[in-house]
Amino acid sequence: MKLKEHYLLMKASLLKAGIEEAGFEAKQLIKRVLGIDDAELLLNRLELSGEQQETLSELCRKRCGGYPLQYLLGEWEFYGLPFLVGEGVLIPRQDTETLCEWVVSRFSDRQGVKILDLCSGSGCIAVTLEHYLPGSTVWALEKSKTAARYCEKNIALNQSSVRLVLDDALDPAFAETGFDLIVSNPPYLSEEDMGRLQKEVSFEPREALEAGKDGLAFYRELTRIWTPRLKAGGILAYEVGIHQKEDVCSLLEAGGLDGIGTRRDLCGVERVVYGMKPCEENKEEIKWQ
Ligand SMILES: C[S@@+](CC[C@H](N)C(=O)[O-])C[C@H]1O[C@@H](n2cnc3c(N)ncnc32)[C@H](O)[C@@H]1O
């Protein structure tokens, strides 16, 4: 069968299964299985072998069942960098680029920034920050062994110097302190959210998602445990879920942080909440955005 015929069959099946970007997804799967790029795909005069057709049909069948495209591809782009993904690790989301973008703009004129990324998963935040803030020293802390293995591979894939720590962010053995910045995109779904997960998300690890009855368990504990590890004037910055901004701002305020601010993502959702550990010189400092 010709490539184009198979592409049209796959697109039709994906559309029927309710997948909005059916054409895009079919092309991604074809490029992955055939090992071709966009230019070769456009030529589309290729004849598919029986084995290639079978592989593509199997991937298409899984995708129609809600299995995430990113797991089928095994790799996904985040902030212009490649990340390996698969079962057991959260797929890097575009929402999370907002946190990275804010940090990069905030710290781009600083040298030798000492950064810790808690609940690192694939390592997308840690690797991105180390890449776009040259000269920074970045640690990635993750509890899940499976996720940490992906993080390790992603550090190597991106020729990054991020230091991976396998540890529990809620009961850490890791003793490093004096960070300029601690960032985290922790689990933040409430019990109620967990009960109505999208089909695709239900294939991702529960420990990457669930955060107690109100979804705030990690923000509460991470703020308490890690604020003392910031330098005076250091920043704690979180990604937050929809409608969590107010609660997380209050938690940072209750945790003694100053200059609390927020940042919206491309959809207008308040996605980042940050605060600064006070120091004598900045007690009166204006609140920055
Ligand atoms: C929402 S995911 C974020 C992953 C990654 N930072 C990102 O933005 O794609 C949360 C991560 O926290 C990890 N995690 C859950 N509990 C943890 C704990 N107690 N200590 C460290 N990591 C934890 C999960 O395994 C998961 O990788």
Side-chain angles (χ1 to χ4, degrees), residues 17-77:
I19 289 161
E20 279 176 28
E21 307 264 11
F24 166 80
E25 295 208 10
K27 284 179 188 166
Q28 296 300 314
L29 291 172
I30 289 170
K31 285 196 295 179
R32 176 87 181 126
V33 170
L34 273 62
I36 58 174
D37 60 17
D38 285 311
E40 288 171 295
L41 185 71
L42 279 176
L43 287 174
N44 78 41
R45 285 193 296 267
L46 291 171
E47 189 77 36
L48 298 183
S49 69
E51 196 184 337
Q52 286 170 331
Q53 289 179 49
E54 266 175 43
T55 308
L56 281 170
S57 300
E58 174 60 9
L59 292 179
C60 189
R61 189 189 60 70
K62 282 192 173 173
R63 184 65 193 107
C64 289
Y67 196 77
L69 174 72
Q70 295 89 337
Y71 284 176
L72 294 174
L73 297 174
E75 190 175 314
W76 199 240
E77 193 182 291

Side-chain angles (χ1 to χ4, degrees), residues 78 88-93 96-97 99-100 117-126 141-145 147-148 165-171 183-188 204-210 218 222 226 239:
F78 178 85
V89 70
L90 193 93
I91 298 159
R93 306 289 206 270
T96 308
E97 294 184 348
L99 176 62
C100 293
D117 172 33
L118 297 168
C119 303
S120 230
S122 63
C124 60
I125 298 176
L141 189 147
E142 168 60 47
K143 184 179 177 189
S144 147
K145 282 192 183 146
V165 182
L166 187 65
D167 200 359
D168 184 347
L170 304 181
D171 183 18
V183 280
S184 186
N185 172 23
Y188 57 64
E204 295 188 84
R206 285 187 78 86
E207 66 270 26
L209 304 169
E210 57 188 359
F218 277 81
L222 295 181
W226 292 95
E239 173 172 322

